[in-house]
Amino acid sequence: MGGEGGGDSGDSVIHFVFVHGASHGAWCWYKLTTLLDAAGFKSTTVDLTGAGINLTDSNTVFDPDHYNFPLFSLLSDLPPHHKVILVGHSMGGGSVTAALCKFPDKISMAVYLAAYMVQPGSASSTHNSPMHLGEEDIWEYIYGEGVNETPTGVIMKEQFIRHRYYSQSPLEDVTLASKLLRPAPVRAFLGFDKLSANPAAEKIPRVCIKTAKDNQFSMLRQDRMVENWPPSQVYVLEESDHSPFFSVPTTLFIYLLRAISFLQS
Ligand SMILES: CC[C@H]1c2cc3[nH]c4c(c3C)C(=O)[C@H](C(=O)OC)c4c3nc(cc4[nH]c(cc(n2)[C@@H]1C)c(C(C)=O)c4C)[C@@H](C)[C@@H]3CCC(=O)O
């Protein structure tokens, strides 16, 4: 787990839990959690299995439940009646949806930030995927089980990182991220669209925050996700690249506060 902030551990405080995207870790939320903690909210960031400072080799993570385990364990350890606002970035949206299905009574709102938002039980197929294995030359694959097998890991090639992930972000953050990104578990991701339909998960309000200057996840693709599984609120971060936690942390902070103002108390 990445870390926790906020002095008050009581049930009354609004608690955000942040889930990183592919190759990222709890570290990527440092600006946003600083803002939230200073404003009196509680924030928790998680390192999924094989990410951030989690010690597992991501090439051994084949299953979504194994990948999501640190998030599931955090949610299952919450005190009774304590609910969190779950925020997922990019492929972290898949982990958020899995958590909605497994712990619907622990989540008051799910926020998808430039994120994978696919309805559980909707028959998706890899030909709809914006990222086929081998589709573009921007990815470095790791074949942990041999070259004739499905890759076990994937990471963006160094020369594409700045443009694709962080084009509008401060250079210091690009430098930091370049040193911290780790291979992502391809096989666990391939299981993300296998969730069954879940009526309890459908009842939880979902918010989509789109990123307009995103060179990784185009607005067209983001719009398609919203059309396919309409959320209750949609926001657009006009000046954001794929990584709003670096490029526009203050606007993101304001949008999160606006989103939660619609929660029933
Ligand atoms: C191994 C294929 C697997 C997959 C991997 C993957 N997806 C993203 C990354 C990787 C390695 C990223 O780095 C990026 C991200 O998380 O940035 C931090 C990814 C995205 N994936 C998205 C949507 C999306 N992905 C898939 C499928 C896969 N991604 C494979 C299972 C789907 C579908 C329908 O199958 C969808 C909708 C976005 C949230 C981001 C950006 C995607 C892009 O490259 O346009």
Side-chain angles (χ1 to χ4, degrees):
M1 197 177 306
E4 260 188 71
D8 187 346
S9 60
D11 266 358
S12 58
V13 77
I14 294 178
H15 185 182
F16 290 87
V17 173
F18 292 95
V19 187
H20 59 81
S23 297
H24 289 68
W27 51 267
C28 71
W29 303 105
Y30 78 95
K31 291 181 176 178
L32 188 61
T33 53
T34 303
L35 291 167
L36 286 165
D37 296 348
F41 297 98
K42 182 178 164 88
S43 64
T44 306
T45 54
V46 65
D47 276 329
L48 298 176
T49 309
I53 58 167
N54 180 285
L55 293 175
T56 305
D57 176 356
S58 58
N59 291 289
T60 65
V61 180
F62 294 170
D63 179 79
D65 283 351
H66 184 195
Y67 182 57
N68 291 327
F69 180 77
L71 173 64
F72 292 170
S73 128
L74 182 158
L75 293 172
S76 73
D77 288 348
L78 290 172
H81 310 299
H82 184 99
K83 291 193 181 207
V84 301
I85 292 137
L86 195 53
V87 184
H89 171 240
S90 201
M91 279 306 277
S95 304
V96 166
T97 307
L100 285 183
C101 293
K102 221 174 165 81
F103 299 97
D105 53 336
K106 298 282 184 193
I107 302 163
S108 53
M109 177 176 270
V111 181
Y112 293 79
L113 184 58
Y116 178 94
M117 187 178 69
V118 173
Q119 185 172 31
S122 66
S124 88
S125 60
T126 36
H127 70 262
N128 290 325
S129 167
M131 205 204 96
H132 299 284
L133 289 176
E135 182 190 24
E136 290 179 78
D137 207 20
I138 62 165
W139 306 99
E140 191 93 57
Y141 294 101
I142 298 161
Y143 294 87
E145 300 236 298
V147 286
N148 295 321
E149 304 296 327
T150 306
T152 52
V154 63
I155 188 160
M156 190 175 285
K157 289 183 183 167
E158 178 110 36
Q159 63 267 36
F160 297 103
I161 287 174
R162 184 171 169 199
H163 175 71
R164 289 270 180 162
Y165 282 154
Y166 314 118
S167 63
Q168 307 298 311
S169 298
L171 269 180
E172 293 92 330
D173 291 322
V174 185
T175 306
L176 177 78
S178 304
K179 294 185 189 311
L180 296 176
L181 293 168
R182 288 176 63 185
V186 172
R187 295 183 187 195
F189 286 175
L190 291 170
F192 268 14
D193 62 354
K194 308 279 185 298
L195 291 169
S196 308
N198 189 310
E202 296 284 348
K203 292 197 185 111
I204 300 162
R206 275 176 298 108
V207 178
C208 178
I209 305 184
K210 300 192 288 183
T211 42
K213 292 190 175 164
D214 193 325
N215 294 329
Q216 176 64 16
F217 196 25
S218 70
M219 274 299 247
L220 197 73
R221 287 165 174 171
Q222 296 183 53
D223 286 340
R224 205 180 300 152
M225 307 227 100
V226 169
E227 275 161 32
N228 289 344
W229 195 26
S232 41
Q233 300 178 61
V234 179
Y235 297 89
V236 184
L237 289 163
E238 294 292 348
E239 298 305 318
S240 182
D241 56 23
H242 190 54
S243 305
F245 40 75
F246 288 157
S247 56
V248 293
T250 309
T251 318
L252 175 56
F253 166 71
I254 292 165
Y255 282 15
L256 284 178
L257 298 197
R258 201 171 295 166
I260 62 166
S261 73
F262 289 90
L263 274 174
Q264 322 274 15
S265 48

Short mmCIF file of all heavy atoms in Angstrom, two decimals, residues 196-229:
data_model
loop_
_atom_site.label_atom_id
_atom_site.label_comp_id
_atom_site.label_asym_id
_atom_site.label_seq_id
_atom_site.Cartn_x
_atom_site.Cartn_y
_atom_site.Cartn_z
N SER A 196 -18.90 -10.50 -14.42
CA SER A 196 -20.32 -10.79 -14.69
C SER A 196 -21.17 -9.58 -14.35
O SER A 196 -20.79 -8.76 -13.49
CB SER A 196 -20.80 -11.95 -13.82
OG SER A 196 -19.92 -13.02 -13.96
N ALA A 197 -22.33 -9.50 -14.98
CA ALA A 197 -23.28 -8.41 -14.69
C ALA A 197 -23.54 -8.37 -13.18
O ALA A 197 -23.62 -9.42 -12.53
CB ALA A 197 -24.57 -8.66 -15.45
N ASN A 198 -23.66 -7.15 -12.63
CA ASN A 198 -23.80 -7.04 -11.17
C ASN A 198 -24.74 -5.89 -10.82
O ASN A 198 -24.35 -4.71 -10.86
CB ASN A 198 -22.39 -6.80 -10.57
CG ASN A 198 -22.40 -6.89 -9.07
OD1 ASN A 198 -23.23 -6.26 -8.41
ND2 ASN A 198 -21.49 -7.67 -8.53
N PRO A 199 -26.00 -6.21 -10.47
CA PRO A 199 -27.00 -5.17 -10.17
C PRO A 199 -26.59 -4.26 -9.01
O PRO A 199 -26.87 -3.05 -9.04
CB PRO A 199 -28.26 -5.95 -9.82
CG PRO A 199 -28.04 -7.33 -10.36
CD PRO A 199 -26.56 -7.57 -10.39
N ALA A 200 -25.90 -4.79 -8.00
CA ALA A 200 -25.50 -3.96 -6.85
C ALA A 200 -24.47 -2.92 -7.28
O ALA A 200 -24.54 -1.75 -6.86
CB ALA A 200 -24.93 -4.85 -5.74
N ALA A 201 -23.57 -3.31 -8.14
CA ALA A 201 -22.53 -2.37 -8.63
C ALA A 201 -23.18 -1.25 -9.45
O ALA A 201 -22.75 -0.10 -9.41
CB ALA A 201 -21.51 -3.12 -9.46
N GLU A 202 -24.24 -1.59 -10.17
CA GLU A 202 -24.92 -0.61 -11.03
C GLU A 202 -25.56 0.52 -10.23
O GLU A 202 -25.81 1.60 -10.75
CB GLU A 202 -26.01 -1.29 -11.88
CG GLU A 202 -25.49 -2.31 -12.87
CD GLU A 202 -24.85 -1.67 -14.11
OE1 GLU A 202 -25.01 -0.46 -14.32
OE2 GLU A 202 -24.18 -2.42 -14.86
N LYS A 203 -25.84 0.26 -8.94
CA LYS A 203 -26.54 1.27 -8.12
C LYS A 203 -25.58 2.36 -7.63
O LYS A 203 -26.02 3.40 -7.14
CB LYS A 203 -27.18 0.59 -6.91
CG LYS A 203 -28.33 -0.31 -7.30
CD LYS A 203 -29.21 -0.64 -6.09
CE LYS A 203 -30.29 -1.62 -6.46
NZ LYS A 203 -30.12 -2.94 -5.86
N ILE A 204 -24.29 2.11 -7.70
CA ILE A 204 -23.33 3.08 -7.15
C ILE A 204 -23.08 4.19 -8.18
O ILE A 204 -22.82 3.90 -9.35
CB ILE A 204 -22.01 2.36 -6.78
CG1 ILE A 204 -22.32 1.28 -5.73
CG2 ILE A 204 -20.96 3.34 -6.28
CD1 ILE A 204 -21.25 0.24 -5.58
N PRO A 205 -23.19 5.47 -7.75
CA PRO A 205 -22.98 6.54 -8.73
C PRO A 205 -21.56 6.52 -9.29
O PRO A 205 -20.59 6.35 -8.55
CB PRO A 205 -23.23 7.83 -7.93
CG PRO A 205 -23.33 7.44 -6.50
CD PRO A 205 -23.55 5.97 -6.42
N ARG A 206 -21.49 6.69 -10.61
CA ARG A 206 -20.18 6.73 -11.29
C ARG A 206 -19.97 8.10 -11.90
O ARG A 206 -20.90 8.72 -12.43
CB ARG A 206 -20.14 5.68 -12.40
CG ARG A 206 -19.72 4.30 -11.95
CD ARG A 206 -19.78 3.29 -13.08
NE ARG A 206 -21.13 3.15 -13.59
CZ ARG A 206 -21.53 3.60 -14.76
NH1 ARG A 206 -20.69 4.21 -15.58
NH2 ARG A 206 -22.79 3.47 -15.15
N VAL A 207 -18.72 8.55 -11.84
CA VAL A 207 -18.34 9.84 -12.41
C VAL A 207 -17.21 9.59 -13.40
O VAL A 207 -16.29 8.82 -13.11
CB VAL A 207 -17.82 10.78 -11.29
CG1 VAL A 207 -17.37 12.12 -11.86
CG2 VAL A 207 -18.89 10.97 -10.22
N CYS A 208 -17.32 10.23 -14.57
CA CYS A 208 -16.24 10.09 -15.55
C CYS A 208 -15.55 11.45 -15.70
O CYS A 208 -16.23 12.47 -15.93
CB CYS A 208 -16.82 9.63 -16.88
SG CYS A 208 -15.58 9.50 -18.14
N ILE A 209 -14.24 11.48 -15.55
CA ILE A 209 -13.48 12.71 -15.78
C ILE A 209 -12.59 12.48 -17.01
O ILE A 209 -11.70 11.63 -16.98
CB ILE A 209 -12.64 13.11 -14.54
CG1 ILE A 209 -13.54 13.23 -13.30
CG2 ILE A 209 -11.91 14.43 -14.81
CD1 ILE A 209 -12.84 13.70 -12.03
N LYS A 210 -12.90 13.23 -18.07
CA LYS A 210 -12.18 13.04 -19.33
C LYS A 210 -10.99 14.00 -19.41
O LYS A 210 -10.99 15.06 -18.77
CB LYS A 210 -13.12 13.25 -20.51
CG LYS A 210 -14.30 12.28 -20.51
CD LYS A 210 -15.07 12.29 -21.81
CE LYS A 210 -15.89 13.56 -21.96
NZ LYS A 210 -16.71 13.56 -23.18
N THR A 211 -10.03 13.64 -20.23
CA THR A 211 -8.80 14.42 -20.35
C THR A 211 -8.65 14.85 -21.82
O THR A 211 -8.48 13.99 -22.71
CB THR A 211 -7.61 13.56 -19.90
OG1 THR A 211 -7.78 12.23 -20.42
CG2 THR A 211 -7.51 13.48 -18.39
N ALA A 212 -8.74 16.17 -22.08
CA ALA A 212 -8.90 16.65 -23.45
C ALA A 212 -7.59 16.67 -24.26
O ALA A 212 -7.62 16.56 -25.48
CB ALA A 212 -9.53 18.04 -23.45
N LYS A 213 -6.46 16.83 -23.60
CA LYS A 213 -5.19 16.87 -24.35
C LYS A 213 -4.41 15.57 -24.14
O LYS A 213 -3.21 15.56 -23.90
CB LYS A 213 -4.35 18.08 -23.93
CG LYS A 213 -4.98 19.40 -24.36
CD LYS A 213 -4.07 20.59 -24.18
CE LYS A 213 -4.73 21.84 -24.76
NZ LYS A 213 -4.09 23.07 -24.30
N ASP A 214 -5.16 14.48 -24.25
CA ASP A 214 -4.61 13.15 -23.95
C ASP A 214 -4.09 12.50 -25.24
O ASP A 214 -4.85 12.23 -26.15
CB ASP A 214 -5.76 12.32 -23.33
CG ASP A 214 -5.30 11.04 -22.70
OD1 ASP A 214 -4.35 10.43 -23.21
OD2 ASP A 214 -5.89 10.64 -21.67
N ASN A 215 -2.79 12.25 -25.30
CA ASN A 215 -2.21 11.61 -26.48
C ASN A 215 -2.22 10.08 -26.38
O ASN A 215 -1.75 9.39 -27.27
CB ASN A 215 -0.75 12.05 -26.67
CG ASN A 215 -0.65 13.52 -27.00
OD1 ASN A 215 -1.55 14.07 -27.63
ND2 ASN A 215 0.42 14.16 -26.57
N GLN A 216 -2.75 9.58 -25.27
CA GLN A 216 -2.77 8.12 -25.08
C GLN A 216 -4.19 7.57 -25.25
O GLN A 216 -4.40 6.57 -25.90
CB GLN A 216 -2.22 7.77 -23.69
CG GLN A 216 -2.26 6.32 -23.32
CD GLN A 216 -1.38 5.46 -24.21
OE1 GLN A 216 -0.52 5.97 -24.91
NE2 GLN A 216 -1.61 4.17 -24.20
N PHE A 217 -5.14 8.25 -24.66
CA PHE A 217 -6.52 7.78 -24.67
C PHE A 217 -7.35 8.90 -25.31
O PHE A 217 -7.69 9.88 -24.64
CB PHE A 217 -6.94 7.53 -23.22
CG PHE A 217 -8.19 6.71 -23.04
CD1 PHE A 217 -8.61 5.81 -23.99
CD2 PHE A 217 -8.93 6.82 -21.87
CE1 PHE A 217 -9.75 5.05 -23.80
CE2 PHE A 217 -10.06 6.06 -21.65
CZ PHE A 217 -10.48 5.17 -22.62
N SER A 218 -7.64 8.76 -26.59
CA SER A 218 -8.26 9.87 -27.32
C SER A 218 -9.66 10.18 -26.79
O SER A 218 -10.34 9.30 -26.24
CB SER A 218 -8.35 9.52 -28.81
OG SER A 218 -9.30 8.50 -28.99
N MET A 219 -10.10 11.43 -27.01
CA MET A 219 -11.44 11.84 -26.58
C MET A 219 -12.50 10.96 -27.22
O MET A 219 -13.51 10.64 -26.60
CB MET A 219 -11.69 13.30 -26.95
CG MET A 219 -11.19 14.27 -25.92
SD MET A 219 -12.04 14.02 -24.34
CE MET A 219 -12.95 15.50 -24.23
N LEU A 220 -12.24 10.57 -28.47
CA LEU A 220 -13.19 9.70 -29.17
C LEU A 220 -13.41 8.40 -28.40
O LEU A 220 -14.53 7.96 -28.17
CB LEU A 220 -12.63 9.41 -30.57
CG LEU A 220 -13.61 8.89 -31.58
CD1 LEU A 220 -14.53 10.02 -32.03
CD2 LEU A 220 -12.86 8.29 -32.77
N ARG A 221 -12.29 7.81 -27.96
CA ARG A 221 -12.38 6.56 -27.20
C ARG A 221 -13.00 6.79 -25.82
O ARG A 221 -13.78 5.97 -25.34
CB ARG A 221 -11.00 5.94 -27.05
CG ARG A 221 -10.49 5.33 -28.33
CD ARG A 221 -9.01 5.06 -28.22
NE ARG A 221 -8.51 4.35 -29.37
CZ ARG A 221 -7.22 4.15 -29.59
NH1 ARG A 221 -6.34 4.61 -28.73
NH2 ARG A 221 -6.82 3.51 -30.65
N GLN A 222 -12.67 7.92 -25.21
CA GLN A 222 -13.27 8.23 -23.90
C GLN A 222 -14.78 8.41 -24.05
O GLN A 222 -15.56 7.92 -23.23
CB GLN A 222 -12.62 9.47 -23.29
CG GLN A 222 -11.13 9.28 -22.98
CD GLN A 222 -10.52 10.50 -22.29
OE1 GLN A 222 -11.02 10.97 -21.28
NE2 GLN A 222 -9.42 11.01 -22.83
N ASP A 223 -15.18 9.13 -25.11
CA ASP A 223 -16.61 9.35 -25.36
C ASP A 223 -17.34 8.03 -25.58
O ASP A 223 -18.48 7.85 -25.14
CB ASP A 223 -16.82 10.25 -26.58
CG ASP A 223 -16.47 11.70 -26.28
OD1 ASP A 223 -16.44 12.06 -25.09
OD2 ASP A 223 -16.19 12.46 -27.23
N ARG A 224 -16.66 7.11 -26.28
CA ARG A 224 -17.28 5.81 -26.55
C ARG A 224 -17.59 5.05 -25.25
O ARG A 224 -18.63 4.43 -25.11
CB ARG A 224 -16.37 4.98 -27.47
CG ARG A 224 -17.14 3.94 -28.26
CD ARG A 224 -16.24 3.14 -29.16
NE ARG A 224 -15.53 3.94 -30.13
CZ ARG A 224 -14.33 3.61 -30.65
NH1 ARG A 224 -13.72 2.52 -30.24
NH2 ARG A 224 -13.75 4.37 -31.54
N MET A 225 -16.66 5.15 -24.30
CA MET A 225 -16.88 4.46 -23.02
C MET A 225 -18.09 5.06 -22.29
O MET A 225 -18.89 4.33 -21.70
CB MET A 225 -15.65 4.59 -22.11
CG MET A 225 -14.36 4.16 -22.75
SD MET A 225 -13.40 3.08 -21.70
CE MET A 225 -13.85 1.57 -22.42
N VAL A 226 -18.19 6.40 -22.34
CA VAL A 226 -19.31 7.10 -21.68
C VAL A 226 -20.64 6.69 -22.33
O VAL A 226 -21.62 6.44 -21.63
CB VAL A 226 -19.10 8.63 -21.72
CG1 VAL A 226 -20.35 9.38 -21.30
CG2 VAL A 226 -17.92 9.02 -20.84
N GLU A 227 -20.63 6.63 -23.66
CA GLU A 227 -21.87 6.23 -24.37
C GLU A 227 -22.27 4.80 -24.02
O GLU A 227 -23.45 4.49 -23.85
CB GLU A 227 -21.65 6.28 -25.89
CG GLU A 227 -21.84 7.64 -26.49
CD GLU A 227 -21.15 7.73 -27.85
OE1 GLU A 227 -21.07 6.71 -28.57
OE2 GLU A 227 -20.66 8.84 -28.17
N ASN A 228 -21.28 3.92 -23.92
CA ASN A 228 -21.57 2.50 -23.69
C ASN A 228 -22.03 2.19 -22.26
O ASN A 228 -22.72 1.20 -22.03
CB ASN A 228 -20.34 1.64 -24.02
CG ASN A 228 -20.10 1.60 -25.51
OD1 ASN A 228 -20.99 1.94 -26.30
ND2 ASN A 228 -18.92 1.21 -25.92
N TRP A 229 -21.59 3.02 -21.32
CA TRP A 229 -22.01 2.79 -19.91
C TRP A 229 -22.13 4.15 -19.25
O TRP A 229 -21.24 4.57 -18.51
CB TRP A 229 -20.98 1.90 -19.19
CG TRP A 229 -21.48 1.33 -17.89
CD1 TRP A 229 -22.77 1.08 -17.51
CD2 TRP A 229 -20.66 0.92 -16.78
NE1 TRP A 229 -22.80 0.56 -16.24
CE2 TRP A 229 -21.52 0.43 -15.76
CE3 TRP A 229 -19.27 0.91 -16.54
CZ2 TRP A 229 -21.06 -0.06 -14.54
CZ3 TRP A 229 -18.80 0.43 -15.33
CH2 TRP A 229 -19.68 -0.06 -14.34
#
